[in-house]
Amino acid sequence: MKVTSHFFLYLSISLIIFSTNALFGQDVHFTQGLASPQNLNPALVGNMNGTYRIMTIYRDQWRGGIDQPLTTIGAGGDVKFDISYNKSKKSDFVGLGFFFLSDRV
């Protein structure tokens, strides 16, 4: 029996489709979502008035309701690089950022 490359393609696609039904998770939700723009939308990296930005955000849920409360901590930063070629035209930029997240349930 000859196994073609189409077989492996169909097998890979089938595994991806059927494995995604078993994956689930909880989205991170902060009360002050605008304080963490990288978590809100990754396209906001570098979209600011300054050159760099450093941010931290913390949320502690259900402290008195359960024995081990939900604790979420996020920290990140980004920097904006000006890449405009002609200074007389509208400036353009590229943003580079990072974001670390810890969600303890």
Side-chain angles (χ1 to χ4, degrees), residues 45-85:
V45 170
N47 190 7
M48 60 193 152
N49 291 333
T51 305
Y52 63 91
R53 169 175 51 194
I54 298 173
M55 66 202 87
T56 59
I57 192 163
Y58 175 80
R59 180 164 184 173
D60 192 18
Q61 276 182 247
W62 302 333
R63 168 80 42 201
I66 57 177
D67 293 335
Q68 294 179 347
L70 285 76
T71 304
T72 307
I73 302 169
D78 57 340
V79 66
K80 178 170 57 172
F81 298 104
D82 186 19
I83 60 167
S84 35
Y85 297 105

Side-chain angles (χ1 to χ4, degrees), residues 7-103:
F7 173 75
F8 290 112
L9 176 66
Y10 294 137
L11 179 66
S12 299
I13 292 172
S14 299
L15 287 174
I16 290 170
I17 290 172
F18 291 119
S19 68
T20 56
N21 290 338
L23 298 175
F24 58 91
Q26 176 182 343
D27 288 337
V28 178
H29 53 283
F30 293 114
T31 305
Q32 300 288 331
L34 295 176
S36 177
Q38 292 176 353
N39 188 38
L40 183 66
N41 184 356
L44 294 174
V45 170
N47 190 7
M48 60 193 152
N49 291 333
T51 305
Y52 63 91
R53 169 175 51 194
I54 298 173
M55 66 202 87
T56 59
I57 192 163
Y58 175 80
R59 180 164 184 173
D60 192 18
Q61 276 182 247
W62 302 333
R63 168 80 42 201
I66 57 177
D67 293 335
Q68 294 179 347
L70 285 76
T71 304
T72 307
I73 302 169
D78 57 340
V79 66
K80 178 170 57 172
F81 298 104
D82 186 19
I83 60 167
S84 35
Y85 297 105
N86 188 353
K87 295 295 181 184
S88 64
K89 292 185 178 182
K90 186 176 178 182
S91 65
D92 200 5
F93 65 89
V94 171
L96 179 67
F98 64 92
F99 190 74
F100 297 105
L101 187 66
S102 172
D103 195 17

